[in-house]
Amino acid sequence: MAKRDYYETLGVSKGASADEIKKAYRKKAKELHPDRNSDNPNAEAQFKEANEAYDVLKDAEKKAAYDRFGHAAFEGGMGGGARRPGGPGAGPGQGDFASAFSDVFEDLFGDFMGGQQGRGGGRARATRGADLRYNMRITLEEAYSGQQRSISVPTAVQCGKCNGKGTEGASEPATCPTCSGMGKVRAQQGFFTVERTCPTCSGAGQIIKNPCSVCGGVGRVEKERQLSVNIPAGVETGTRIRLSGEGEAGLRGGPTGDLYIFIEVADHPIFQRDGVNLYCSVPVSMTSAALGGEVEVPTIDGGRSRVKVPAGSQTGRQMRLRGKGMPALRGGGSGDMMIELAIETPVNLTSRQKELLREFERVDADNNPQGDSFFRKVKGFWDGMTQ
């Protein structure tokens, strides 16, 4: 059976450029791959046909021979003598097919699998240093005012003796002989090429034959660093402060990572926080709640405020002190402070106090609006149940 024209197989014209041929092949390879066409019995043959066409047209010498002689260029009789494997006189066999598929596999997935290293560069990739996390616990007063705090952070810093190279003296890292500086090695498995991290250099692309006596060839040493951290006013639990470039030193000249400070604000014995607002529960005597009066309350800035208690106040009544809450971390301004009254029932009464309360109960004349309302509702509930 006559073979199809290679240009027709890939869907390009005879004058197509190398990039156009490559683009067309990549499209065909994805369309015709057997794994994506399990219901098409001809997919594998079409896939091989496309690979065969690309193997010829991607090579300048093979392409020139094909343009001149067609398929006959690879079928013998075009001049005597031995033909070198892969040359103009060699037909595209399985090794060439696997090579072609390896090329497109690299094009499609190279960046994901480490193709950014370059091909045969022999130069190790610079690796960014790791980011670090530091948990900081502060008081509510410190969150209100903000502060400057010094912290001690154990981290990996660049070795001062070798300046991060990892080598002793003037010696330089050598190209890894196993991966030739790629940092990865390949293994052929049928039509596929599997790429793995080089076991000799662990992906660095280089090996150190004469390691630094201080860092042992790592290029970094452990050190405890003292840093000053600015805690802005208004932070709350979960606030994250980033210190750029204060993380671990990078490898092989890579940039330094960052340090993240995670804030936790401790619970306060008096105030409860909700965003920028503060809540404070204030006990009030029964007589002050009934007759009215004043109560002195603390504020988060260390001051005091006098709050009037209206006569007849009940437990749970709230009063607002504007601007006495927490400062807003962004946007400026401050929240409010909410005073919630907690009416105290007297205990440890004297005989005289008990007598006065009994007398008050005898002359009680519609002084309990909440109780009266509740019992009216209860009576209505019971009457409904009996009907």
Side-chain angles (χ1 to χ4, degrees):
M1 186 178 67
K3 287 188 177 182
R4 288 177 64 195
D5 179 79
Y6 285 156
Y7 291 103
E8 181 186 343
T9 299
L10 296 183
V12 296
S13 64
K14 191 171 182 180
S17 66
D19 285 341
E20 289 172 333
I21 292 173
K22 185 176 185 178
K23 184 177 180 181
Y25 170 66
R26 290 174 63 180
K27 182 179 179 181
K28 285 286 184 182
K30 286 191 285 186
E31 287 178 358
L32 301 173
H33 195 283
D35 290 346
R36 301 179 64 177
N37 296 273
S38 56
D39 56 342
N40 182 3
N42 299 320
E44 184 175 353
Q46 293 171 341
F47 184 64
K48 290 181 178 180
E49 186 180 33
N51 277 285
E52 180 180 321
Y54 179 64
D55 182 62
V56 170
L57 298 182
K58 75 171 183 174
D59 185 284
E61 293 183 11
K62 290 182 182 180
K63 183 176 181 295
Y66 179 75
D67 289 344
R68 186 176 180 184
F69 302 109
H71 293 295
F74 311 109
E75 294 175 356
M78 298 306 299
R83 301 181 179 92
R84 65 179 178 87
Q94 175 158 337
D96 294 325
F97 165 71
S99 173
F101 188 77
S102 174
D103 287 343
V104 75
F105 187 82
E106 175 69 26
D107 291 334
L108 293 173
F109 305 108
D111 287 341
F112 175 76
M113 296 185 68
Q116 66 271 21
Q117 286 181 323
R119 299 180 181 180
R123 182 170 59 86
R125 286 185 301 165
T127 304
R128 182 180 182 274
D131 292 333
L132 299 178
R133 172 174 178 152
Y134 185 95
N135 296 327
M136 179 180 290
R137 186 178 175 89
I138 63 175
T139 65
L140 187 63
E141 292 88 344
E142 291 171 335
Y144 170 80
S145 60
Q147 65 167 190
Q148 199 78 17
R149 180 179 285 195
S150 294
I151 61 174
S152 179
V153 181
T155 183
V157 300
Q158 188 180 79
C159 176
K161 183 175 182 181
C162 66
N163 294 322
K165 292 193 306 178
T167 58
E168 186 71 22
S171 60
E172 294 289 337
T175 300
C176 176
T178 303
C179 64
S180 300
M182 289 288 293
K184 294 183 181 293
V185 292
R186 294 179 177 181
Q188 196 77 38
Q189 294 183 358
F191 294 149
F192 294 93
T193 299
V194 179
E195 220 174 40
R196 298 186 179 90
T197 300
C198 176
T200 303
C201 64
S202 301
Q206 296 178 335
I207 57 173
I208 296 174
K209 296 181 178 180
N210 187 19
C212 171
S213 59
V214 174
C215 66
V218 179
R220 303 186 303 188
V221 292
E222 295 293 327
K223 183 179 179 182
E224 198 161 276
R225 301 178 60 196
Q226 298 296 322
L227 300 174
S228 181
V229 182
N230 178 44
I231 309 298
V235 297
E236 56 186 315
T237 296
T239 297
R240 188 180 69 172
I241 301 172
R242 176 190 175 199
L243 299 184
S244 181
E246 298 296 351
E248 284 193 347
L251 290 172
R252 297 175 289 279
T256 305
D258 300 330
L259 173 65
Y260 290 91
I261 310 293
F262 283 78
I263 300 296
E264 179 188 359
V265 180
D267 292 337
H268 197 277
I270 297 175
F271 303 106
Q272 289 78 47
R273 181 178 184 177
D274 183 11
V276 294
N277 295 324
L278 293 177
Y279 291 80
C280 180
S281 180
V282 179
V284 178
S285 68
M286 182 182 69
T287 53
S288 294
L291 303 176
E294 284 188 346
V295 62
E296 188 175 72
V297 296
T299 53
I300 190 61
D301 59 2
R304 302 178 183 182
S305 292
R306 296 194 69 82
V307 179
K308 287 187 177 181
V309 178
S313 294
Q314 303 294 322
T315 290
R317 180 167 186 168
Q318 290 187 342
M319 291 165 287
R320 185 186 301 269
L321 294 180
R322 296 194 178 277
K324 292 296 184 180
M326 298 292 291
L329 184 59
R330 298 177 182 84
S334 297
D336 301 330
M337 178 174 168
M338 306 299 295
I339 306 297
E340 185 173 292
L341 301 182
I343 311 305
E344 284 194 296
T345 300
V347 297
N348 301 321
L349 300 176
T350 64
S351 298
R352 176 58 179 161
Q353 289 172 326
K354 292 178 181 180
E355 182 182 343
L356 291 173
L357 288 175
R358 291 190 183 101
E359 182 179 350
F360 173 78
E361 188 176 21
R362 285 194 297 270
V363 298
D364 183 6
D366 196 23
N367 298 121
N368 302 297
Q370 289 186 0
D372 293 343
S373 175
F374 172 76
F375 287 115
R376 279 197 301 271
K377 293 176 183 177
V378 171
K379 184 177 183 303
F381 171 73
W382 284 337
D383 289 344
M385 294 292 288
T386 56
Q387 290 179 358

